[in-house]
Amino acid sequence: MAARVDSGFWFPALALGVSFLKCLFINAYHSTDFEVHRNWLAITHSLPVSRWYHENTSEWTLDYPPLFAWFEFGLSHVAQHFDRNMLQVENLHYASPSTVLFQRLSVIFTDVVFIYAAKECCRCVQEQKGSQDVLNRPSFVLAVLLLWNFGLLIVDHIHFQYNGFLFGVLLLSVAKHLQSQHLQGALLFAILLNLKHIYLYVAPAYGIYLLRSYCFTQDNKDGSIRWMSFSPLRLLALGSIVVSVCALSFGPFIAMGQLPQVLSRLFPFKRGLCHAYWAPNIWALYSVLDKGLAVLGVRLKLLEEAELPRASMTGGLVQEFQHSVLLSVSPSATLVCTLLSILPAVASIWLRPCGARGFLRCLLLCALGSFMFGWHVHEKAVLIAILPLRASYQSFSDADVHHLLLHSSQEAPQRSGPSAPSSGGHLPARPGRRGDRLRGGLPPVAVATEAALPPPAGDVGVLLGGRLLLLPASVRQAAAAGRQTQAAVRSSNSIL
Amino acid sequence: MQTWSLVSICVLLGVVVRWGVSLNSYSAGKPPMFGDYEAQRHWQEVTYNLPLQEYFNTTDNDLNYWGLDYPPLTAYHSWICAYAKIINPDWVELHKSRGYESPTHKLFMRTTLLIYIPAVVLYCLYLTDGSSKKKISTLLCFLLYPGLILIDYGHFIRYNGVSLGFALWGILALGLGWDVSGSMAFSLALNYKQMELYHALPFFCYLLGKCIKAGPMGRLFLLVRIAATVLATFALCWLPFLSDPSQALQVVRRIFPVARGLFEDKVANTWCSLNTLIKIRSILSGDSQLYLLACTFLAVLPASFRLLTKPTFWHFKLALVNSSLAFFLFSYQVHEKSILLAAPVCLLLNDLPLIAIWFLQASTFMLPLFLKDGLLVPYVVTSLAFLFFSLYLLSALDHCSEDELRMGAYNKLLFFLPKMDLAHVVRWKFYISVAVMAVLSIVSIALVPPPHLPDLFPVLVSTTAFLHFFGTFVYFNVVQFSEPPSRKSQKKNN
């Protein structure tokens, strides 16, 4: 191609191209999440702050942390120029063309944060020496994988959510850590937690990493912890950042004494173990096993059919239910399982830290562990694992997991809409030795087909594969960390 | 990256953009006529339920309600599509299914890409010069051409993609030297939509020229082979109607309705634009069609003659463009969407990128049409995307020298004007014209026209478009008569 293409103009071209594509989906199908956000625009615009977390005219009550509510409040001031009627709380399911246009454009515009974060991540990628064809450069591949992530496209621009903006903040925080600007990274993560609390999934990774690699300024020669190098000043700095952000966000509600109400909205444990559409996690397998045993038990006359509870777990209703044969699972049980699953990863970055690269992998494993064992997990939560995985795209094992995870996230959102087009494609990397840079050509694009699999079957298939790879991955990380005795990579600023 | 991976990505992107556009509103309508989508569905109803002989006449078939007015191949295609009855019989129940619409039916009917896209891919890979990266860029720009996407997938008139696809296969075959297959493909295109007549003259002149250039024996042999193929194809398509001459005549009458007026709506052709100055419509009566035919013929003559004397592929491409433009600008009962027949300009994306992009952008600039269907967002998005990506990938603004634009002849013609840096001038004209088109688009949407001039904006738009088309017509005629590109300059372009 001509000189201009090589001169670095490819990033704006990619960003512009995907933004144009997003505009074409403005009039596509949108899910109930559209009404959710319209309702929140109305609540934050029309009602005083004291009513925000008490309002329940609509079934879609405000269940994100206060900073997101303030974000919606800001958006509502622009919204009033498009269509004032959408800001009436009573106008349930209001979806005039201007409303749709405004909401879609707001997602497209806030994706600017994501584009900026992708640019920062690309800057952290080490280029190979020698002039290379643009299409084979690692930074180009990373930019395509991040900007043109079809899972995110489908969830954000068809199904309708604000994930692009939130993932932008997450990736920016990760990029800051890779550039050794830990305080900025911590600030961004604190803001992120107050925007959407699902990122608590990855909070252990941040906590342990910052404590071990930032608060302890030096390591021993063999990489183990040097207790004397603890810096209380740094701990104080981190603590004050987190506390001040939380104070800014929750402060008004604590002052009004509404904290319990807010917390009950944020953490609704009455919603049941599995979401209406099952996320492909352990509890889905567990429920299938339970059902299978129940049927078997009835057949073998070991159980009375009348004794079995009547609840249908995939009935689309959000409710609590009891398992019939196996033990019922409580929220604390899921918490214990989650903590056990992320223990190896977290322990490894405590005992043998590998710098920012290790942190990224730990983040990924925390996300996966919480996805696998968490309470009431949404299938879309797998995106939290996918995007950092792309950023840490390195070797054969990562590519495998990436392949499977991407497939599961492609299938999931399609079930939420009959006419969502499956325009998926992804670029699996050619397998290489561990630690290799991305090199050489990439095999042809594989297209994810619009297969209408019934929820349990498809998820179980993916689930088994994912499950099998998850445990070895965390064990492998611990082993790899043990092998690398050169720790102190605090100043490392590359992720590949 | 391997070529075929990149080709797959381009094709998939083209498909995604088409599907994205199709998610927007289309030419749906209200009773009693319902719009073009309904026309398609009605034809399926008619062809499925009635015997062949009655497709074109009025026995059980109400011709006033979207009567079939395309040649037989369209009818057969509708009949095949009507096998959708397997999925849902309600779609094609005779008389009862008027106004029936459903999303799956929409998707089903958007499968024209199967014929069009492979032809485009093969053309870009085998008949364009340059590095493989350049070919891929050309492919992407060809597939992103907004006019065809918006009409076929947004506005949903007819299967333009099928007839253009067949014509492209014909061009491809002729480019590879397979004259007989090429003529067969083009005959199929003609039998699908009679508008392909716009392209018939270049095909004829090119093949005739080749026959003349061949040796005395080869000449006769080739002529006979081509004529036989064409006649056979036509006979095959018209077979059911040939048994009764009055049948055939009825079909011809439906296909060429001469009872309609000089032009419809605001079309960017000469007569409509002249109409703003002199009321031509009232001066010319129905009999003056002959004058118009003569006018069109005169416009087409130079290019065809040149092609006859020099039947090379380069001249063939230019003649296709010139002929379709001439027909559009001067012919009778031209419909706005006929400008799509100037899609052969896409064939020149590789050789004359800036002018091709400029023209393609102007041909999409039919805003009043799209506003009627609420296709504003797809129009804006696809036009901007096409403009940006084609300028970026083909580096059109860099290849603006006099030699590359083949402007040598202009200098000779306009020798009395002071010597200017032609490339600079062209570039500035391009910027100004894009700005004007953008401003007119915004103004048409945002402002309300003054009450005594209700059609002000459509007229302005069509006149601007007309000026662009006329300018392009003159330019391509000049290029056709200039010397063909030398080997040296071709190598420089790569």
Side-chain angles (χ1 to χ4, degrees):
Chain A
M1 290 190 198
R4 191 187 286 186
V5 178
D6 286 335
S7 68
F9 206 61
W10 51 266
F11 190 87
L14 281 177
L16 208 58
V18 79
S19 305
F20 281 137
L21 191 64
K22 290 172 191 172
C23 289
L24 283 180
F25 293 131
I26 284 182
N27 285 317
Y29 158 85
H30 53 77
S31 68
T32 48
D33 276 336
F34 180 85
E35 165 62 15
V36 169
H37 287 280
R38 186 216 59 80
N39 186 39
W40 294 355
L41 278 174
I43 291 178
T44 52
H45 188 87
S46 323
L47 300 175
V49 179
S50 55
R51 296 284 315 152
W52 285 1
Y53 282 93
H54 284 281
E55 173 59 39
N56 58 1
T57 311
S58 159
E59 51 180 326
W60 310 116
T61 54
L62 188 56
D63 56 3
Y64 275 18
L67 271 187
F68 197 86
W70 288 109
F71 166 69
E72 294 271 12
F73 179 66
L75 277 182
S76 68
H77 283 288
V78 182
Q80 60 190 353
H81 299 294
F82 278 77
D83 186 348
R84 278 194 168 275
N85 291 326
M86 77 170 105
L87 300 172
Q88 309 293 331
V89 179
E90 309 79 40
N91 279 347
L92 297 181
H93 301 289
Y94 183 75
S96 71
S98 326
T99 311
V100 173
L101 186 66
F102 169 71
Q103 296 252 61
R104 294 283 197 201
L105 283 180
S106 68
V107 182
I108 297 175
F109 274 114
T110 51
D111 270 359
V112 159
V113 178
F114 186 71
I115 294 175
Y116 175 66
K119 182 123 184 75
E120 286 292 305
C121 284
C122 290
R123 269 195 348 164
C124 296
V125 173
Q126 250 185 25
E127 303 284 353
Q128 270 186 329
K129 291 284 173 268
S131 75
Q132 233 178 334
D133 183 23
V134 172
L135 298 179
N136 285 330
R137 279 191 218 157
S139 52
F140 178 82
V141 176
L142 181 65
V144 170
L145 288 179
L146 285 176
L147 290 174
W148 285 74
N149 181 347
F150 279 98
L152 198 59
L153 257 177
I154 293 180
V155 170
D156 262 17
H157 299 278
I158 298 182
H159 183 87
F160 196 83
Q161 277 204 332
Y162 283 92
N163 289 311
F165 158 60
L166 297 168
F167 277 116
V169 180
L170 178 69
L171 284 177
L172 205 53
S173 150
V174 166
K176 292 295 179 203
H177 282 302
L178 291 170
Q179 292 163 0
S180 304
Q181 291 172 319
H182 297 289
L183 287 177
Q184 292 187 24
L187 175 66
L188 285 165
F189 187 66
I191 294 176
L192 182 66
L193 271 184
N194 281 294
L195 279 170
K196 190 167 179 180
H197 51 297
I198 202 175
Y199 293 96
L200 277 174
Y201 282 3
V202 299
Y206 270 87
I208 302 295
Y209 172 68
L210 284 174
L211 191 60
R212 174 68 175 88
S213 303
Y214 183 64
C215 295
F216 288 93
T217 46
Q218 279 178 347
D219 285 341
N220 285 329
K221 285 226 176 54
D222 62 353
S224 64
I225 191 167
R226 184 187 284 195
W227 295 97
M228 299 321 285
S229 66
F230 180 71
S231 158
L233 201 64
R234 289 190 169 188
L235 185 63
L236 203 63
L238 283 177
S240 56
I241 287 177
V242 174
V243 166
S244 54
V245 171
C246 290
L248 203 66
S249 146
F250 283 92
F253 298 95
I254 298 176
M256 287 188 286
Q258 288 188 355
L259 192 62
Q261 169 71 1
V262 174
L263 287 177
S264 76
R265 283 286 180 87
L266 290 182
F267 299 102
F269 283 105
K270 292 264 177 288
R271 283 195 185 167
L273 179 61
C274 296
H275 184 49
Y277 291 120
W278 286 0
N281 67 5
I282 279 289
W283 307 123
L285 266 185
Y286 191 81
S287 304
V288 166
L289 192 63
D290 180 64
K291 201 71 175 187
L293 286 175
V295 169
L296 201 63
V298 169
R299 285 276 167 80
L300 296 177
K301 307 259 189 288
L302 293 170
L303 294 170
E304 287 297 317
E305 201 167 327
E307 282 173 17
L308 296 174
R310 282 268 157 241
S312 160
M313 293 170 226
T314 52
L317 297 174
V318 174
Q319 62 184 8
E320 292 211 56
F321 56 86
Q322 305 295 325
H323 284 108
S324 33
V325 177
L326 300 171
L327 291 170
S328 289
V329 180
S330 69
S332 24
T334 61
L335 185 63
V336 167
C337 290
T338 312
L339 288 176
L340 281 175
S341 74
I342 67 176
L343 200 58
V346 162
S348 87
I349 61 166
W350 175 266
L351 295 170
R352 291 279 183 270
C354 311
R357 211 175 66 194
F359 158 63
L360 197 51
R361 286 178 154 216
C362 180
L363 191 143
L364 170 63
L365 285 167
C366 286
L368 275 176
S370 309
F371 179 79
M372 279 299 173
F373 294 98
W375 178 268
H376 200 88
V377 175
H378 286 231
E379 56 213 2
K380 300 186 221 81
V382 80
L383 281 174
I384 303 181
I386 288 186
L387 285 165
L389 178 58
R390 297 187 150 190
S392 77
Y393 206 14
Q394 185 177 331
S395 62
F396 184 54
S397 56
D398 290 356
D400 253 359
V401 182
H402 179 241
H403 194 105
L404 275 154
L405 282 177
L406 199 53
H407 256 294
S408 93
S409 84
Q410 299 286 36
E411 287 170 16
Q414 288 162 27
R415 279 187 264 111
S416 37
S419 58
S422 163
S423 44
H426 60 277
L427 300 166
R430 187 168 291 164
R433 293 188 305 281
R434 181 189 296 279
D436 264 358
R437 297 253 144 49
L438 283 168
R439 195 193 290 185
L442 294 163
V445 173
V447 180
T449 55
E450 198 180 288
L453 291 170
D459 294 345
V460 165
V462 171
L463 180 66
L464 277 174
R467 181 93 172 70
L468 287 171
L469 279 168
L470 171 62
L471 287 177
S474 69
V475 167
R476 233 179 282 158
Q477 156 134 9
R483 255 181 264 139
Q484 292 178 26
T485 52
Q486 313 302 323
V489 205
R490 255 177 261 298
S491 55
S492 149
N493 58 1
S494 73
I495 52 173
L496 285 185
Chain B
M1 220 179 172
Q2 296 151 12
T3 311
W4 283 102
S5 326
L6 285 171
V7 167
S8 330
I9 294 178
C10 290
V11 167
L12 287 171
L13 271 175
V15 172
V16 164
V17 171
R18 281 158 169 77
W19 253 339
V21 170
S22 75
L23 292 169
N24 293 276
S25 77
Y26 52 93
S27 170
K30 327 268 178 304
M33 291 302 270
F34 289 112
D36 291 311
Y37 177 81
E38 169 62 14
Q40 287 294 312
R41 197 216 46 76
H42 176 73
W43 293 343
Q44 291 182 10
E45 175 198 331
V46 163
T47 53
Y48 189 78
N49 290 300
L50 296 177
L52 266 171
Q53 279 70 28
E54 292 180 27
Y55 285 178
F56 291 94
N57 60 22
T58 342
T59 45
D60 203 12
N61 170 9
D62 180 9
L63 285 176
N64 284 328
Y65 182 75
W66 295 119
L68 201 62
D69 52 2
Y70 281 123
L73 216 57
T74 305
Y76 303 150
H77 185 199
S78 300
W79 185 66
I80 295 174
C81 284
Y83 269 91
K85 188 177 160 75
I86 304 170
I87 307 174
N88 186 344
D90 290 334
W91 286 345
V92 289
E93 276 286 320
L94 190 59
H95 301 310
K96 291 194 206 111
S97 55
R98 296 189 180 185
Y100 191 97
E101 298 171 2
S102 85
T104 30
H105 201 185
K106 242 204 289 187
L107 275 174
F108 187 85
M109 292 172 104
R110 270 149 167 108
T111 46
T112 67
L113 19 99
L114 288 171
I115 300 187
Y116 181 69
I117 290 189
V120 174
V121 170
L122 290 174
Y123 172 78
C124 288
L125 286 181
Y126 295 114
L127 286 176
T128 51
D129 315 311
S131 66
S132 64
K133 288 285 161 56
K134 189 141 191 275
K135 295 186 191 194
I136 305 283
S137 312
T138 316
L139 173 64
L140 189 62
C141 297
F142 204 136
L143 286 177
L144 283 181
Y145 168 49
L148 195 59
I149 299 179
L150 288 167
I151 295 272
D152 265 9
Y153 298 91
H155 191 75
F156 196 84
I157 288 288
R158 277 107 221 226
Y159 293 92
N160 288 308
V162 176
S163 61
L164 265 180
F166 277 130
L168 257 182
W169 281 107
I171 297 170
L172 188 68
L174 290 187
L176 293 171
W178 307 334
D179 297 326
V180 175
S181 323
S183 32
M184 183 173 78
F186 187 68
S187 314
L188 284 174
L190 260 182
N191 277 308
Y192 195 85
K193 273 193 202 300
Q194 70 275 28
M195 287 201 299
E196 287 294 326
L197 275 175
Y198 282 21
H199 294 153
L201 209 55
F203 271 84
F204 177 73
C205 294
Y206 177 71
L207 290 169
L208 195 61
K210 275 191 97 172
C211 289
I212 296 175
K213 284 264 172 328
M217 269 322 291
R219 178 183 306 173
L220 200 60
F221 189 44
L222 190 61
L223 194 61
V224 165
R225 269 193 355 206
I226 294 176
T229 320
V230 171
L231 284 173
T233 321
F234 267 85
L236 211 64
C237 292
W238 286 68
L239 202 60
F241 304 101
L242 288 176
S243 46
D244 183 10
S246 68
Q247 266 292 326
L249 215 59
Q250 168 70 356
V251 178
V252 172
R253 229 178 280 140
R254 287 295 306 170
I255 297 176
F256 295 106
V258 288
R260 300 192 195 165
L262 184 51
F263 55 81
E264 210 179 287
D265 261 340
K266 303 285 169 286
V267 182
N269 90 354
T270 332
W271 313 125
C272 176
S273 308
L274 267 182
N275 201 36
T276 54
L277 301 171
I278 340 164
K279 291 291 168 216
I280 277 206
R281 225 201 294 229
S282 36
I283 301 178
L284 294 174
S285 61
D287 297 334
S288 47
Q289 291 167 43
L290 279 171
Y291 296 129
L292 293 179
L293 207 61
C295 233
T296 318
F297 192 62
L298 232 78
V300 163
L301 202 60
S304 315
F305 186 70
R306 178 79 168 164
L307 179 61
L308 209 61
T309 53
K310 287 199 188 199
T312 62
F313 194 58
W314 167 246
H315 282 292
F316 176 52
K317 287 197 286 195
L318 282 173
L320 276 170
V321 171
N322 284 323
S323 153
S324 41
L325 268 176
F327 272 97
F328 178 80
L329 287 171
F330 297 103
S331 163
Y332 192 82
Q333 181 52 227
V334 169
H335 206 267
E336 301 167 283
K337 296 159 208 91
S338 306
I339 191 59
L340 285 176
L341 287 168
V345 175
C346 289
L347 299 171
L348 295 170
L349 267 174
N350 202 35
D351 309 292
L352 296 165
L354 184 62
I355 308 293
I357 294 169
W358 196 350
F359 175 77
L360 291 171
Q361 195 66 25
S363 72
T364 323
F365 175 55
M366 291 186 281
L367 194 59
L369 176 63
F370 295 127
L371 272 184
K372 270 194 267 178
D373 288 323
L375 277 174
L376 187 59
V377 172
Y379 163 72
V380 169
V381 168
T382 47
S383 307
L384 283 177
F386 178 74
L387 191 63
F388 176 73
F389 280 101
S390 50
L391 285 178
Y392 171 63
L393 289 173
L394 296 173
S395 312
L397 289 171
D398 294 333
H399 293 166
C400 257
S401 73
E402 190 176 303
D403 191 36
E404 280 157 334
L405 288 177
R406 321 251 188 276
M407 296 281 232
Y410 266 105
N411 264 342
K412 287 187 217 133
L413 283 176
L414 304 171
F415 56 86
F416 45 86
L417 288 178
K419 194 107 175 83
M420 295 181 281
D421 179 8
L422 217 51
H424 205 63
V425 168
V426 168
R427 228 178 277 160
W428 273 102
K429 284 206 305 199
F430 177 71
Y431 295 148
I432 293 175
S433 119
V434 169
V436 163
M437 288 197 276
V439 164
L440 268 180
S441 306
I442 298 174
V443 151
S444 316
I445 317 163
L447 299 180
V448 174
H452 55 279
L453 292 170
D455 281 329
L456 180 63
F457 295 133
V459 165
L460 273 178
V461 164
S462 66
T463 322
T464 318
F466 164 71
L467 289 170
H468 280 95
F469 299 157
F470 193 71
T472 319
F473 179 61
V474 168
Y475 170 77
F476 278 120
N477 270 302
V478 169
V479 171
Q480 179 135 38
F481 280 89
S482 335
E483 282 309 309
S486 64
R487 296 256 167 230
K488 267 193 302 199
S489 60
Q490 255 185 344
K491 284 220 168 62
K492 218 170 36 166
N493 281 343
N494 292 351

